[in-house]
Amino acid sequence: MTYQQLIYFCTACECGSVTKAAEKLFVTQPAIRHLEKEYHLQILERKDKNMRLTPDGKIFLEHAKNLV
């Protein structure tokens, strides 16, 4: 995990959209999927263009905020 990935995740949560976060930070969308694969967690539920934090995602977000 990198610091940049944590920033991206926190920004996606703030924006309510992975796409909007990617545009804001000038990165590609797969960064979140990489975090999920790396830690074997589903931190976001995706439906159409909307996203919602899973219970694991809520815990991950609190830790990410503390680190960032």
Side-chain angles (χ1 to χ4, degrees):
M1 173 188 332
T2 67
Y3 183 71
Q4 188 63 31
Q5 287 173 311
L6 292 176
I7 291 172
Y8 181 59
F9 175 68
C10 290
T11 303
C13 292
E14 290 171 13
C15 292
S17 165
V18 174
T19 302
K20 289 177 185 175
E23 290 171 358
K24 182 176 181 177
L25 297 173
F26 305 104
V27 298
T28 61
Q29 293 183 24
I32 295 275
R33 287 191 182 103
H34 179 71
L35 273 176
E36 290 179 317
K37 286 181 182 178
E38 185 175 343
Y39 290 96
H40 306 286
L41 294 171
Q42 182 181 358
I43 53 180
L44 297 174
E45 291 179 357
R46 297 162 185 86
K47 185 174 181 183
D48 301 321
K49 292 186 178 185
N50 298 316
M51 63 169 235
R52 187 174 74 166
L53 287 171
T54 64
D56 286 336
K58 290 177 184 178
I59 294 167
F60 193 89
L61 177 60
E62 290 306 312
H63 289 290
K65 284 180 179 179
N66 289 331
L67 292 169
V68 172

